[in-house]
PDB file of all heavy atoms in Angstrom:
ATOM      1  N   LEU A  18     -10.064   5.661  -8.849  1.00 97.00           N
ATOM      2  CA  LEU A  18     -10.166   6.229  -7.510  1.00 97.00           C
ATOM      3  C   LEU A  18     -11.633   6.309  -7.018  1.00 97.00           C
ATOM      4  O   LEU A  18     -11.907   6.014  -5.851  1.00 97.00           O
ATOM      5  CB  LEU A  18      -9.543   7.633  -7.501  1.00 97.00           C
ATOM      6  CG  LEU A  18      -7.999   7.685  -7.687  1.00 97.00           C
ATOM      7  CD1 LEU A  18      -7.575   9.133  -7.905  1.00 97.00           C
ATOM      8  CD2 LEU A  18      -7.323   7.079  -6.483  1.00 97.00           C
ATOM      9  N   THR A  19     -12.516   6.647  -7.931  1.00 96.00           N
ATOM     10  CA  THR A  19     -13.954   6.734  -7.586  1.00 96.00           C
ATOM     11  C   THR A  19     -14.458   5.324  -7.190  1.00 96.00           C
ATOM     12  O   THR A  19     -15.167   5.157  -6.195  1.00 96.00           O
ATOM     13  CB  THR A  19     -14.788   7.258  -8.766  1.00 96.00           C
ATOM     14  OG1 THR A  19     -14.307   8.544  -9.134  1.00 96.00           O
ATOM     15  CG2 THR A  19     -16.261   7.327  -8.404  1.00 96.00           C
ATOM     16  N   ALA A  20     -14.069   4.334  -7.963  1.00 97.00           N
ATOM     17  CA  ALA A  20     -14.513   2.948  -7.685  1.00 97.00           C
ATOM     18  C   ALA A  20     -13.943   2.460  -6.344  1.00 97.00           C
ATOM     19  O   ALA A  20     -14.644   1.787  -5.594  1.00 97.00           O
ATOM     20  CB  ALA A  20     -14.079   2.006  -8.820  1.00 97.00           C
ATOM     21  N   ARG A  21     -12.691   2.805  -6.079  1.00 96.00           N
ATOM     22  CA  ARG A  21     -12.063   2.384  -4.819  1.00 96.00           C
ATOM     23  C   ARG A  21     -12.740   3.047  -3.611  1.00 96.00           C
ATOM     24  O   ARG A  21     -12.821   2.477  -2.528  1.00 96.00           O
ATOM     25  CB  ARG A  21     -10.594   2.695  -4.859  1.00 96.00           C
ATOM     26  CG  ARG A  21      -9.762   1.762  -5.691  1.00 96.00           C
ATOM     27  CD  ARG A  21      -9.628   0.407  -5.004  1.00 96.00           C
ATOM     28  NE  ARG A  21      -8.874  -0.558  -5.861  1.00 96.00           N
ATOM     29  CZ  ARG A  21      -9.363  -1.697  -6.252  1.00 96.00           C
ATOM     30  NH1 ARG A  21     -10.570  -2.059  -5.830  1.00 96.00           N
ATOM     31  NH2 ARG A  21      -8.697  -2.510  -7.018  1.00 96.00           N
ATOM     32  N   GLU A  22     -13.266   4.269  -3.796  1.00 95.00           N
ATOM     33  CA  GLU A  22     -13.986   4.945  -2.714  1.00 95.00           C
ATOM     34  C   GLU A  22     -15.259   4.168  -2.346  1.00 95.00           C
ATOM     35  O   GLU A  22     -15.665   4.098  -1.185  1.00 95.00           O
ATOM     36  CB  GLU A  22     -14.336   6.366  -3.134  1.00 95.00           C
ATOM     37  CG  GLU A  22     -13.183   7.356  -3.050  1.00 95.00           C
ATOM     38  CD  GLU A  22     -12.716   7.639  -1.626  1.00 95.00           C
ATOM     39  OE1 GLU A  22     -13.598   7.729  -0.775  1.00 95.00           O
ATOM     40  OE2 GLU A  22     -11.510   7.753  -1.418  1.00 95.00           O
ATOM     41  N   LEU A  23     -15.878   3.593  -3.361  1.00 96.00           N
ATOM     42  CA  LEU A  23     -17.151   2.915  -3.171  1.00 96.00           C
ATOM     43  C   LEU A  23     -16.947   1.475  -2.693  1.00 96.00           C
ATOM     44  O   LEU A  23     -17.743   0.953  -1.919  1.00 96.00           O
ATOM     45  CB  LEU A  23     -17.955   2.935  -4.464  1.00 96.00           C
ATOM     46  CG  LEU A  23     -18.370   4.310  -4.954  1.00 96.00           C
ATOM     47  CD1 LEU A  23     -19.083   4.167  -6.317  1.00 96.00           C
ATOM     48  CD2 LEU A  23     -19.285   5.005  -3.982  1.00 96.00           C
ATOM     49  N   ARG A  24     -15.900   0.849  -3.242  1.00 95.00           N
ATOM     50  CA  ARG A  24     -15.694  -0.593  -2.867  1.00 95.00           C
ATOM     51  C   ARG A  24     -14.214  -0.920  -3.035  1.00 95.00           C
ATOM     52  O   ARG A  24     -13.666  -0.915  -4.164  1.00 95.00           O
ATOM     53  CB  ARG A  24     -16.566  -1.477  -3.782  1.00 95.00           C
ATOM     54  CG  ARG A  24     -16.464  -2.933  -3.442  1.00 95.00           C
ATOM     55  CD  ARG A  24     -17.353  -3.768  -4.328  1.00 95.00           C
ATOM     56  NE  ARG A  24     -17.012  -5.164  -4.247  1.00 95.00           N
ATOM     57  CZ  ARG A  24     -17.408  -6.080  -5.106  1.00 95.00           C
ATOM     58  NH1 ARG A  24     -18.200  -5.736  -6.145  1.00 95.00           N
ATOM     59  NH2 ARG A  24     -17.041  -7.344  -4.977  1.00 95.00           N
ATOM     60  N   ASP A  25     -13.592  -1.224  -1.940  1.00 93.00           N
ATOM     61  CA  ASP A  25     -12.146  -1.455  -1.965  1.00 93.00           C
ATOM     62  C   ASP A  25     -11.755  -2.795  -2.526  1.00 93.00           C
ATOM     63  O   ASP A  25     -10.625  -2.978  -2.999  1.00 93.00           O
ATOM     64  CB  ASP A  25     -11.597  -1.328  -0.543  1.00 93.00           C
ATOM     65  CG  ASP A  25     -10.098  -1.307  -0.504  1.00 93.00           C
ATOM     66  OD1 ASP A  25      -9.483  -0.436  -1.210  1.00 93.00           O
ATOM     67  OD2 ASP A  25      -9.488  -2.153   0.184  1.00 93.00           O
ATOM     68  N   ASP A  26     -12.687  -3.790  -2.519  1.00 94.00           N
ATOM     69  CA  ASP A  26     -12.303  -5.146  -2.927  1.00 94.00           C
ATOM     70  C   ASP A  26     -12.700  -5.517  -4.358  1.00 94.00           C
ATOM     71  O   ASP A  26     -12.506  -6.627  -4.786  1.00 94.00           O
ATOM     72  CB  ASP A  26     -12.902  -6.166  -1.974  1.00 94.00           C
ATOM     73  CG  ASP A  26     -14.442  -6.148  -1.988  1.00 94.00           C
ATOM     74  OD1 ASP A  26     -14.997  -5.099  -2.395  1.00 94.00           O
ATOM     75  OD2 ASP A  26     -15.036  -7.171  -1.611  1.00 94.00           O
ATOM     76  N   VAL A  27     -13.317  -4.559  -5.085  1.00 95.00           N
ATOM     77  CA  VAL A  27     -13.712  -4.886  -6.484  1.00 95.00           C
ATOM     78  C   VAL A  27     -12.470  -4.990  -7.347  1.00 95.00           C
ATOM     79  O   VAL A  27     -11.499  -4.219  -7.166  1.00 95.00           O
ATOM     80  CB  VAL A  27     -14.673  -3.805  -7.057  1.00 95.00           C
ATOM     81  CG1 VAL A  27     -13.977  -2.479  -7.204  1.00 95.00           C
ATOM     82  CG2 VAL A  27     -15.267  -4.283  -8.359  1.00 95.00           C
ATOM     83  N   ARG A  28     -12.451  -5.943  -8.210  1.00 96.00           N
ATOM     84  CA  ARG A  28     -11.309  -6.106  -9.134  1.00 96.00           C
ATOM     85  C   ARG A  28     -11.370  -5.095 -10.261  1.00 96.00           C
ATOM     86  O   ARG A  28     -12.385  -5.002 -10.934  1.00 96.00           O
ATOM     87  CB  ARG A  28     -11.304  -7.533  -9.705  1.00 96.00           C
ATOM     88  CG  ARG A  28      -9.989  -7.899 -10.360  1.00 96.00           C
ATOM     89  CD  ARG A  28     -10.001  -9.326 -10.849  1.00 96.00           C
ATOM     90  NE  ARG A  28      -8.703  -9.729 -11.319  1.00 96.00           N
ATOM     91  CZ  ARG A  28      -8.471 -10.809 -12.057  1.00 96.00           C
ATOM     92  NH1 ARG A  28      -9.491 -11.594 -12.394  1.00 96.00           N
ATOM     93  NH2 ARG A  28      -7.253 -11.128 -12.453  1.00 96.00           N
ATOM     94  N   ILE A  29     -10.270  -4.376 -10.463  1.00 97.00           N
ATOM     95  CA  ILE A  29     -10.225  -3.305 -11.467  1.00 97.00           C
ATOM     96  C   ILE A  29      -9.145  -3.585 -12.484  1.00 97.00           C
ATOM     97  O   ILE A  29      -7.990  -3.793 -12.114  1.00 97.00           O
ATOM     98  CB  ILE A  29     -10.005  -1.936 -10.810  1.00 97.00           C
ATOM     99  CG1 ILE A  29     -11.175  -1.604  -9.869  1.00 97.00           C
ATOM    100  CG2 ILE A  29      -9.895  -0.845 -11.866  1.00 97.00           C
ATOM    101  CD1 ILE A  29     -10.998  -0.289  -9.112  1.00 97.00           C
ATOM    102  N   ILE A  30      -9.512  -3.591 -13.749  1.00 97.00           N
ATOM    103  CA  ILE A  30      -8.538  -3.755 -14.848  1.00 97.00           C
ATOM    104  C   ILE A  30      -8.592  -2.513 -15.690  1.00 97.00           C
ATOM    105  O   ILE A  30      -9.694  -2.108 -16.169  1.00 97.00           O
ATOM    106  CB  ILE A  30      -8.842  -5.008 -15.698  1.00 97.00           C
ATOM    107  CG1 ILE A  30      -8.761  -6.295 -14.865  1.00 97.00           C
ATOM    108  CG2 ILE A  30      -7.874  -5.083 -16.859  1.00 97.00           C
ATOM    109  CD1 ILE A  30     -10.104  -6.737 -14.317  1.00 97.00           C
ATOM    110  N   SER A  31      -7.461  -1.874 -15.920  1.00 96.00           N
ATOM    111  CA  SER A  31      -7.414  -0.631 -16.700  1.00 96.00           C
ATOM    112  C   SER A  31      -6.627  -0.864 -17.972  1.00 96.00           C
ATOM    113  O   SER A  31      -5.624  -1.630 -18.000  1.00 96.00           O
ATOM    114  CB  SER A  31      -6.713   0.471 -15.856  1.00 96.00           C
ATOM    115  OG  SER A  31      -6.655   1.674 -16.562  1.00 96.00           O
ATOM    116  N   VAL A  32      -7.024  -0.158 -19.026  1.00 95.00           N
ATOM    117  CA  VAL A  32      -6.336  -0.212 -20.324  1.00 95.00           C
ATOM    118  C   VAL A  32      -5.502   1.045 -20.461  1.00 95.00           C
ATOM    119  O   VAL A  32      -6.055   2.166 -20.356  1.00 95.00           O
ATOM    120  CB  VAL A  32      -7.331  -0.350 -21.471  1.00 95.00           C
ATOM    121  CG1 VAL A  32      -6.602  -0.366 -22.827  1.00 95.00           C
ATOM    122  CG2 VAL A  32      -8.205  -1.586 -21.331  1.00 95.00           C
ATOM    123  N   ALA A  33      -4.225   0.911 -20.697  1.00 94.00           N
ATOM    124  CA  ALA A  33      -3.310   2.044 -20.856  1.00 94.00           C
ATOM    125  C   ALA A  33      -2.812   2.065 -22.294  1.00 94.00           C
ATOM    126  O   ALA A  33      -2.337   1.065 -22.833  1.00 94.00           O
ATOM    127  CB  ALA A  33      -2.147   1.939 -19.882  1.00 94.00           C
ATOM    128  N   GLU A  34      -2.912   3.219 -22.914  1.00 85.00           N
ATOM    129  CA  GLU A  34      -2.398   3.370 -24.266  1.00 85.00           C
ATOM    130  C   GLU A  34      -0.902   3.684 -24.244  1.00 85.00           C
ATOM    131  O   GLU A  34      -0.126   3.103 -25.017  1.00 85.00           O
ATOM    132  CB  GLU A  34      -3.144   4.548 -24.959  1.00 85.00           C
ATOM    133  CG  GLU A  34      -4.654   4.388 -24.994  1.00 85.00           C
ATOM    134  CD  GLU A  34      -5.120   3.274 -25.928  1.00 85.00           C
ATOM    135  OE1 GLU A  34      -4.278   2.644 -26.568  1.00 85.00           O
ATOM    136  OE2 GLU A  34      -6.332   3.066 -26.010  1.00 85.00           O
ATOM    137  N   ASP A  35      -0.498   4.596 -23.405  1.00 82.00           N
ATOM    138  CA  ASP A  35       0.910   5.046 -23.322  1.00 82.00           C
ATOM    139  C   ASP A  35       1.602   4.304 -22.207  1.00 82.00           C
ATOM    140  O   ASP A  35       1.101   4.174 -21.099  1.00 82.00           O
ATOM    141  CB  ASP A  35       0.931   6.557 -23.051  1.00 82.00           C
ATOM    142  CG  ASP A  35       2.302   7.175 -23.285  1.00 82.00           C
ATOM    143  OD1 ASP A  35       3.289   6.528 -22.872  1.00 82.00           O
ATOM    144  OD2 ASP A  35       2.384   8.256 -23.846  1.00 82.00           O
ATOM    145  N   ARG A  36       2.794   3.831 -22.515  1.00 78.00           N
ATOM    146  CA  ARG A  36       3.546   3.041 -21.531  1.00 78.00           C
ATOM    147  C   ARG A  36       3.841   3.852 -20.274  1.00 78.00           C
ATOM    148  O   ARG A  36       3.969   3.303 -19.164  1.00 78.00           O
ATOM    149  CB  ARG A  36       4.845   2.522 -22.174  1.00 78.00           C
ATOM    150  CG  ARG A  36       5.883   3.588 -22.449  1.00 78.00           C
ATOM    151  CD  ARG A  36       7.106   3.025 -23.145  1.00 78.00           C
ATOM    152  NE  ARG A  36       6.800   2.675 -24.509  1.00 78.00           N
ATOM    153  CZ  ARG A  36       7.667   2.077 -25.329  1.00 78.00           C
ATOM    154  NH1 ARG A  36       8.830   1.694 -24.880  1.00 78.00           N
ATOM    155  NH2 ARG A  36       7.313   1.768 -26.559  1.00 78.00           N
ATOM    156  N   GLU A  37       3.978   5.181 -20.394  1.00 82.00           N
ATOM    157  CA  GLU A  37       4.395   6.002 -19.244  1.00 82.00           C
ATOM    158  C   GLU A  37       3.259   6.175 -18.227  1.00 82.00           C
ATOM    159  O   GLU A  37       3.535   6.509 -17.093  1.00 82.00           O
ATOM    160  CB  GLU A  37       4.857   7.348 -19.749  1.00 82.00           C
ATOM    161  CG  GLU A  37       6.099   7.271 -20.625  1.00 82.00           C
ATOM    162  CD  GLU A  37       6.515   8.655 -21.164  1.00 82.00           C
ATOM    163  OE1 GLU A  37       5.814   9.620 -20.837  1.00 82.00           O
ATOM    164  OE2 GLU A  37       7.539   8.735 -21.833  1.00 82.00           O
ATOM    165  N   VAL A  38       1.997   6.021 -18.657  1.00 89.00           N
ATOM    166  CA  VAL A  38       0.922   6.250 -17.726  1.00 89.00           C
ATOM    167  C   VAL A  38       0.487   4.993 -16.989  1.00 89.00           C
ATOM    168  O   VAL A  38      -0.311   5.062 -16.026  1.00 89.00           O
ATOM    169  CB  VAL A  38      -0.321   6.852 -18.462  1.00 89.00           C
ATOM    170  CG1 VAL A  38       0.065   8.119 -19.214  1.00 89.00           C
ATOM    171  CG2 VAL A  38      -0.948   5.844 -19.397  1.00 89.00           C
ATOM    172  N   ALA A  39       0.951   3.817 -17.422  1.00 90.00           N
ATOM    173  CA  ALA A  39       0.521   2.583 -16.807  1.00 90.00           C
ATOM    174  C   ALA A  39       0.839   2.564 -15.312  1.00 90.00           C
ATOM    175  O   ALA A  39       0.033   2.068 -14.482  1.00 90.00           O
ATOM    176  CB  ALA A  39       1.169   1.385 -17.476  1.00 90.00           C
ATOM    177  N   THR A  40       1.943   3.148 -14.910  1.00 91.00           N
ATOM    178  CA  THR A  40       2.332   3.189 -13.513  1.00 91.00           C
ATOM    179  C   THR A  40       1.294   3.992 -12.679  1.00 91.00           C
ATOM    180  O   THR A  40       0.963   3.612 -11.563  1.00 91.00           O
ATOM    181  CB  THR A  40       3.745   3.840 -13.338  1.00 91.00           C
ATOM    182  OG1 THR A  40       4.673   3.060 -14.101  1.00 91.00           O
ATOM    183  CG2 THR A  40       4.122   3.890 -11.873  1.00 91.00           C
ATOM    184  N   TYR A  41       0.825   5.101 -13.253  1.00 94.00           N
ATOM    185  CA  TYR A  41      -0.175   5.908 -12.504  1.00 94.00           C
ATOM    186  C   TYR A  41      -1.487   5.191 -12.344  1.00 94.00           C
ATOM    187  O   TYR A  41      -2.191   5.397 -11.329  1.00 94.00           O
ATOM    188  CB  TYR A  41      -0.364   7.243 -13.223  1.00 94.00           C
ATOM    189  CG  TYR A  41       0.932   8.023 -13.334  1.00 94.00           C
ATOM    190  CD1 TYR A  41       1.546   8.216 -14.588  1.00 94.00           C
ATOM    191  CD2 TYR A  41       1.556   8.547 -12.233  1.00 94.00           C
ATOM    192  CE1 TYR A  41       2.752   8.915 -14.699  1.00 94.00           C
ATOM    193  CE2 TYR A  41       2.741   9.261 -12.321  1.00 94.00           C
ATOM    194  CZ  TYR A  41       3.330   9.432 -13.569  1.00 94.00           C
ATOM    195  OH  TYR A  41       4.516  10.118 -13.677  1.00 94.00           O
ATOM    196  N   HIS A  42      -1.825   4.363 -13.304  1.00 96.00           N
ATOM    197  CA  HIS A  42      -3.078   3.581 -13.170  1.00 96.00           C
ATOM    198  C   HIS A  42      -2.932   2.606 -12.002  1.00 96.00           C
ATOM    199  O   HIS A  42      -3.904   2.414 -11.253  1.00 96.00           O
ATOM    200  CB  HIS A  42      -3.353   2.792 -14.450  1.00 96.00           C
ATOM    201  CG  HIS A  42      -3.752   3.698 -15.598  1.00 96.00           C
ATOM    202  ND1 HIS A  42      -4.405   3.222 -16.713  1.00 96.00           N
ATOM    203  CD2 HIS A  42      -3.551   4.998 -15.830  1.00 96.00           C
ATOM    204  CE1 HIS A  42      -4.598   4.218 -17.557  1.00 96.00           C
ATOM    205  NE2 HIS A  42      -4.100   5.297 -17.022  1.00 96.00           N
ATOM    206  N   ARG A  43      -1.754   2.020 -11.845  1.00 94.00           N
ATOM    207  CA  ARG A  43      -1.532   1.121 -10.713  1.00 94.00           C
ATOM    208  C   ARG A  43      -1.526   1.900  -9.373  1.00 94.00           C
ATOM    209  O   ARG A  43      -2.090   1.428  -8.374  1.00 94.00           O
ATOM    210  CB  ARG A  43      -0.205   0.373 -10.867  1.00 94.00           C
ATOM    211  CG  ARG A  43      -0.189  -0.621 -12.037  1.00 94.00           C
ATOM    212  CD  ARG A  43       1.075  -1.480 -12.030  1.00 94.00           C
ATOM    213  NE  ARG A  43       1.086  -2.408 -13.144  1.00 94.00           N
ATOM    214  CZ  ARG A  43       1.638  -2.113 -14.326  1.00 94.00           C
ATOM    215  NH1 ARG A  43       2.213  -0.933 -14.509  1.00 94.00           N
ATOM    216  NH2 ARG A  43       1.591  -3.031 -15.298  1.00 94.00           N
ATOM    217  N   TYR A  44      -0.904   3.056  -9.357  1.00 94.00           N
ATOM    218  CA  TYR A  44      -0.926   3.890  -8.165  1.00 94.00           C
ATOM    219  C   TYR A  44      -2.341   4.235  -7.741  1.00 94.00           C
ATOM    220  O   TYR A  44      -2.652   4.301  -6.558  1.00 94.00           O
ATOM    221  CB  TYR A  44      -0.124   5.187  -8.387  1.00 94.00           C
ATOM    222  CG  TYR A  44       1.380   5.014  -8.385  1.00 94.00           C
ATOM    223  CD1 TYR A  44       2.209   5.976  -8.927  1.00 94.00           C
ATOM    224  CD2 TYR A  44       1.997   3.894  -7.827  1.00 94.00           C
ATOM    225  CE1 TYR A  44       3.593   5.835  -8.951  1.00 94.00           C
ATOM    226  CE2 TYR A  44       3.364   3.731  -7.827  1.00 94.00           C
ATOM    227  CZ  TYR A  44       4.142   4.696  -8.386  1.00 94.00           C
ATOM    228  OH  TYR A  44       5.533   4.565  -8.368  1.00 94.00           O
ATOM    229  N   ALA A  45      -3.195   4.467  -8.731  1.00 95.00           N
ATOM    230  CA  ALA A  45      -4.597   4.833  -8.435  1.00 95.00           C
ATOM    231  C   ALA A  45      -5.386   3.670  -7.812  1.00 95.00           C
ATOM    232  O   ALA A  45      -6.392   3.920  -7.170  1.00 95.00           O
ATOM    233  CB  ALA A  45      -5.303   5.339  -9.694  1.00 95.00           C
ATOM    234  N   GLY A  46      -4.903   2.447  -8.041  1.00 95.00           N
ATOM    235  CA  GLY A  46      -5.546   1.301  -7.437  1.00 95.00           C
ATOM    236  C   GLY A  46      -5.977   0.230  -8.390  1.00 95.00           C
ATOM    237  O   GLY A  46      -6.725  -0.706  -7.984  1.00 95.00           O
ATOM    238  N   ALA A  47      -5.532   0.224  -9.628  1.00 96.00           N
ATOM    239  CA  ALA A  47      -5.895  -0.853 -10.584  1.00 96.00           C
ATOM    240  C   ALA A  47      -5.165  -2.129 -10.176  1.00 96.00           C
ATOM    241  O   ALA A  47      -3.997  -2.129  -9.830  1.00 96.00           O
ATOM    242  CB  ALA A  47      -5.465  -0.423 -12.010  1.00 96.00           C
ATOM    243  N   ASP A  48      -5.915  -3.230 -10.242  1.00 96.00           N
ATOM    244  CA  ASP A  48      -5.302  -4.555  -9.939  1.00 96.00           C
ATOM    245  C   ASP A  48      -4.443  -5.056 -11.093  1.00 96.00           C
ATOM    246  O   ASP A  48      -3.467  -5.751 -10.879  1.00 96.00           O
ATOM    247  CB  ASP A  48      -6.395  -5.574  -9.655  1.00 96.00           C
ATOM    248  CG  ASP A  48      -7.191  -5.195  -8.398  1.00 96.00           C
ATOM    249  OD1 ASP A  48      -6.615  -5.239  -7.312  1.00 96.00           O
ATOM    250  OD2 ASP A  48      -8.383  -4.886  -8.513  1.00 96.00           O
ATOM    251  N   ALA A  49      -4.836  -4.666 -12.285  1.00 95.00           N
ATOM    252  CA  ALA A  49      -4.067  -5.081 -13.493  1.00 95.00           C
ATOM    253  C   ALA A  49      -4.190  -3.991 -14.533  1.00 95.00           C
ATOM    254  O   ALA A  49      -5.230  -3.313 -14.632  1.00 95.00           O
ATOM    255  CB  ALA A  49      -4.598  -6.404 -14.048  1.00 95.00           C
ATOM    256  N   VAL A  50      -3.107  -3.779 -15.273  1.00 95.00           N
ATOM    257  CA  VAL A  50      -3.103  -2.799 -16.350  1.00 95.00           C
ATOM    258  C   VAL A  50      -2.626  -3.499 -17.619  1.00 95.00           C
ATOM    259  O   VAL A  50      -1.552  -4.139 -17.627  1.00 95.00           O
ATOM    260  CB  VAL A  50      -2.138  -1.608 -16.037  1.00 95.00           C
ATOM    261  CG1 VAL A  50      -2.144  -0.620 -17.172  1.00 95.00           C
ATOM    262  CG2 VAL A  50      -2.543  -0.919 -14.742  1.00 95.00           C
ATOM    263  N   VAL A  51      -3.448  -3.425 -18.662  1.00 94.00           N
ATOM    264  CA  VAL A  51      -3.036  -4.067 -19.936  1.00 94.00           C
ATOM    265  C   VAL A  51      -2.639  -2.988 -20.937  1.00 94.00           C
ATOM    266  O   VAL A  51      -3.199  -1.882 -20.946  1.00 94.00           O
ATOM    267  CB  VAL A  51      -4.193  -4.922 -20.511  1.00 94.00           C
ATOM    268  CG1 VAL A  51      -4.547  -6.047 -19.552  1.00 94.00           C
ATOM    269  CG2 VAL A  51      -5.431  -4.081 -20.821  1.00 94.00           C
ATOM    270  N   ARG A  52      -1.640  -3.309 -21.728  1.00 93.00           N
ATOM    271  CA  ARG A  52      -1.141  -2.334 -22.720  1.00 93.00           C
ATOM    272  C   ARG A  52      -1.150  -3.008 -24.087  1.00 93.00           C
ATOM    273  O   ARG A  52      -0.148  -3.503 -24.570  1.00 93.00           O
ATOM    274  CB  ARG A  52       0.292  -1.940 -22.328  1.00 93.00           C
ATOM    275  CG  ARG A  52       0.354  -1.119 -21.022  1.00 93.00           C
ATOM    276  CD  ARG A  52       1.770  -1.034 -20.505  1.00 93.00           C
ATOM    277  NE  ARG A  52       2.693  -0.556 -21.499  1.00 93.00           N
ATOM    278  CZ  ARG A  52       4.005  -0.644 -21.398  1.00 93.00           C
ATOM    279  NH1 ARG A  52       4.536  -1.216 -20.350  1.00 93.00           N
ATOM    280  NH2 ARG A  52       4.774  -0.185 -22.331  1.00 93.00           N
ATOM    281  N   PRO A  53      -2.319  -3.019 -24.713  1.00 93.00           N
ATOM    282  CA  PRO A  53      -2.471  -3.751 -25.979  1.00 93.00           C
ATOM    283  C   PRO A  53      -1.643  -3.186 -27.126  1.00 93.00           C
ATOM    284  O   PRO A  53      -1.212  -3.954 -27.995  1.00 93.00           O
ATOM    285  CB  PRO A  53      -3.979  -3.665 -26.275  1.00 93.00           C
ATOM    286  CG  PRO A  53      -4.423  -2.460 -25.502  1.00 93.00           C
ATOM    287  CD  PRO A  53      -3.571  -2.395 -24.295  1.00 93.00           C
ATOM    288  N   ARG A  54      -1.398  -1.885 -27.156  1.00 93.00           N
ATOM    289  CA  ARG A  54      -0.647  -1.332 -28.262  1.00 93.00           C
ATOM    290  C   ARG A  54       0.781  -1.853 -28.266  1.00 93.00           C
ATOM    291  O   ARG A  54       1.368  -2.067 -29.331  1.00 93.00           O
ATOM    292  CB  ARG A  54      -0.656   0.217 -28.188  1.00 93.00           C
ATOM    293  CG  ARG A  54      -2.029   0.834 -28.472  1.00 93.00           C
ATOM    294  CD  ARG A  54      -1.994   2.331 -28.270  1.00 93.00           C
ATOM    295  NE  ARG A  54      -3.359   2.881 -28.392  1.00 93.00           N
ATOM    296  CZ  ARG A  54      -3.870   3.376 -29.492  1.00 93.00           C
ATOM    297  NH1 ARG A  54      -3.148   3.386 -30.600  1.00 93.00           N
ATOM    298  NH2 ARG A  54      -5.083   3.843 -29.541  1.00 93.00           N
TER     299      ARG A  54
END
């Protein structure tokens, strides 16, 4: 959310440990969410 406030077009990739939180990372504005576990 902080990054999106500063720049809306920057590409953001988030790492999610728990499968249930990946959706919230996307809602926050992540372009891609990886779940390595």
Side-chain angles (χ1 to χ4, degrees):
L18 292 170
T19 302
R21 284 286 176 239
E22 284 291 322
L23 297 176
R24 183 179 165 194
D25 190 55
D26 63 338
V27 66
R28 194 177 187 195
I29 299 177
I30 299 95
S31 181
V32 179
E34 304 289 359
D35 193 318
R36 70 183 71 186
E37 297 178 358
V38 305
T40 302
Y41 301 111
H42 291 199
R43 292 189 181 91
Y44 284 162
D48 296 293
V50 180
V51 300
R52 293 165 53 195
R54 291 175 187 266

